[in-house]
Amino acid sequence: MQRCKQGLIIGALLLFGLSAKALELTPVISSNLSQPTFIASPPNDDRLFVSERGGSLKVFTNDGTYIGVFLSITGVNTSGEGGFLGFAFHPDYDTNGYIFVSYTGSPGGQFSTIIERYETSANPNVASSTTPKEILTVAQPRTNHNAGWIGFSPVDGYLYIPMGDGGGGNDTFGNGQNLSTLLGSILRLNVDAPSGVPYLIPDDNPYTTEAGLDEIWAHGVRNPWRAGFDSQTGEFYFGDVGQGAWEEVNRGEIKGNFGWPLREGFIATPGSVGGELSPRVDPLHVYPNFPTVPRSVVGGVVYRGPVLALQGKYLFAEFYTSDIWQMDLDGSNVVPLANDLGFGGTPIAFGEDTSGDVYLVDLGGTVYRFDGEQALATVRQVPVLPLGALSLLAMIFGFIVWHRRTAEN
């Protein structure tokens, strides 16, 4: 009878008790980092590159072994929300060695967002000493709402650059709905330009044939801090940090107007700036940002890696509270993960490697990878059997275990 009970317990554990281990955060890099801000891998390359707010870009093996400093950017201004905030490898990096960076600096004494292109030297772990190519410099009136993520679309190959509204409160500088400024918009550039030309304008950018700056792909955003492309579909997703009411997760849309400063979340922005706006693109998901408890959404990625429990889910996080969520791509089924994962750090970014593994960057200095037991994850993703049937299967398995042990004795 005791062995029977043990068998039943084992069966029950297989069905219920081990599910917590089916998804976990594995520390991959836990040293040699100071205020990391982003992580990515070059195409067809399993190394991990991690940017630091102060201006360094460091290289690690896929298992987290430190290789060295790839690049040190001079002139980085870390005032306010500034620093070395993002980078992206050219889709043809393995042949041209181009890497693009996004940081804040003060050329001529003006706080600005700067996009530059560097090249890799003959040593793949060190950038060339050649002067970088300046792609874009955008003056920032304040040191907050700098956004900072940049990335290449897997569909059109263009570089996307989200830009905040310039800082202050209530869109102080009136940039969110102003198509004559690059601030408060998502830009799309063709950086495969001839020598001496910083970039070209894609022919189908929406304002090439009507009023508005040619670089703008979408607008009406406040601080699209982190973003990412679905590597399978090419869809663009971003988190837009709210002011005092709602944090947003959005799906990008060409010529989309995301409402700021008239709209925050699904409502008119509280205060004198709020109002109706039509047409506008509604967010996929919002969560509250209360004045007494600050919030700041960290946009993430669509998971296409090996952990089946996360397949096709959008991952995002909250900077101040350490929350992590998964969400269906239509904005439904938002599930909290932080407690189950035992995470209590400061999430600052998500990134992917070439195998599809997803990493979470903790501003405190650790990089984690989302791991999972794929067989158990598969069971959890097949809800076709009723709970009673699943319980019966567990009991049968327990009986088999007990029977085999009895026969052995």
Side-chain angles (χ1 to χ4, degrees):
M1 180 61 68
Q2 181 64 27
R3 286 175 177 155
C4 180
K5 288 182 179 178
Q6 290 175 346
L8 292 176
I9 291 172
I10 292 172
L13 283 173
L14 284 169
L15 182 60
F16 301 110
L18 295 183
S19 61
K21 294 184 179 180
L23 185 64
E24 57 188 350
L25 281 177
T26 302
V28 177
I29 304 172
S30 55
S31 60
N32 297 298
L33 286 177
S34 175
Q35 290 194 304
T37 55
F38 193 63
I39 184 171
S41 289
N44 308 311
D45 191 322
D46 64 0
R47 291 174 298 165
L48 301 173
F49 285 65
V50 183
S51 56
E52 294 181 325
R53 189 181 178 204
S56 295
L57 182 60
K58 294 182 174 179
V59 194
F60 300 80
T61 64
N62 191 255
D63 65 2
T65 301
Y66 181 56
I67 297 175
V69 176
F70 176 83
L71 170 68
S72 292
I73 303 173
T74 59
V76 174
N77 188 329
T78 58
S79 299
E81 298 171 2
F84 181 11
L85 303 178
F87 63 94
F89 295 96
H90 190 282
D92 297 325
Y93 177 82
D94 52 358
T95 58
N96 63 28
Y98 293 162
I99 179 172
F100 295 76
V101 302
S102 171
Y103 67 95
T104 56
S106 300
Q110 172 63 58
F111 187 80
S112 303
T113 290
I114 300 170
I115 311 296
E116 292 176 334
R117 188 194 77 189
Y118 287 81
E119 299 182 26
T120 303
S121 71
N123 180 347
N125 295 316
V126 179
S128 169
S129 59
T130 304
T131 301
K133 179 179 181 179
E134 181 180 325
I135 303 299
L136 182 70
T137 298
V138 181
Q140 295 276 9
R142 296 280 177 86
T143 60
N144 61 340
H145 304 183
N146 304 310
W149 178 94
I150 58 174
F152 286 91
S153 165
V155 174
D156 59 39
Y158 296 135
L159 182 66
Y160 286 64
I161 307 172
M163 297 290 297
D165 66 1
N170 289 324
D171 195 12
T172 300
F173 304 98
N175 293 322
Q177 294 298 312
N178 184 358
L179 291 171
S180 65
T181 175
L182 298 180
L183 297 172
S185 298
I186 296 169
L187 316 181
R188 181 172 70 156
L189 309 179
N190 178 358
V191 292
D192 293 327
S195 177
V197 178
Y199 59 84
L200 302 172
I201 301 296
D203 292 338
D204 60 343
N205 271 15
Y207 299 103
T208 56
T209 57
E210 57 184 273
L213 294 181
D214 294 348
E215 293 89 346
I216 295 175
W217 182 76
H219 72 290
V221 294
R222 181 176 182 268
N223 186 19
W225 163 243
R226 287 291 180 236
F229 289 99
D230 183 339
S231 61
Q232 187 174 103
T233 68
E235 292 280 1
F236 180 66
Y237 296 86
F238 66 94
D240 197 4
V241 179
Q243 180 165 272
W246 298 99
E247 301 294 303
E248 299 184 9
V249 175
N250 295 278
R251 181 188 290 116
E253 181 178 306
I254 189 169
K255 206 179 180 180
N257 184 346
F258 291 87
W260 178 256
L262 296 173
R263 309 289 290 177
E264 186 176 349
F266 294 100
I267 67 170
T269 303
S272 60
V273 296
E276 295 301 320
L277 178 66
S278 181
R280 58 96 61 172
V281 182
D282 281 328
L284 291 174
H285 174 70
V286 300
Y287 64 91
N289 181 346
F290 298 115
T292 57
V293 183
R295 296 285 188 268
S296 186
V297 64
V298 178
V301 298
V302 177
Y303 189 90
R304 299 297 183 184
V307 180
L308 296 182
L310 296 177
Q311 274 290 330
K313 303 293 185 180
Y314 181 76
L315 299 174
F316 64 106
E318 164 54 45
F319 178 83
Y320 287 103
T321 65
S322 306
D323 286 307
I324 305 170
W325 296 278
Q326 70 174 35
M327 179 182 78
D328 287 351
L329 300 186
D330 62 359
S332 63
N333 297 321
V334 179
V335 177
L337 299 175
N339 287 340
D340 290 341
L341 295 171
F343 180 74
T346 305
I348 195 73
F350 293 81
E352 298 173 276
D353 65 18
T354 53
S355 299
D357 277 312
V358 170
Y359 299 81
L360 176 68
V361 180
D362 181 346
L363 185 63
T366 302
V367 174
Y368 300 87
R369 183 180 60 235
F370 287 87
D371 286 329
E373 300 177 40
Q374 297 179 33
L376 288 178
T378 303
V379 170
R380 292 206 318 277
Q381 287 209 49
V382 183
V384 293
L385 293 176
L387 183 60
L390 290 173
S391 300
L392 179 61
L393 287 175
M395 294 178 66
I396 292 172
F397 185 86
F399 176 78
I400 292 173
V401 172
W402 168 76
H403 185 271
R404 285 182 176 178
R405 290 184 174 179
T406 302
E408 289 173 357
N409 294 331

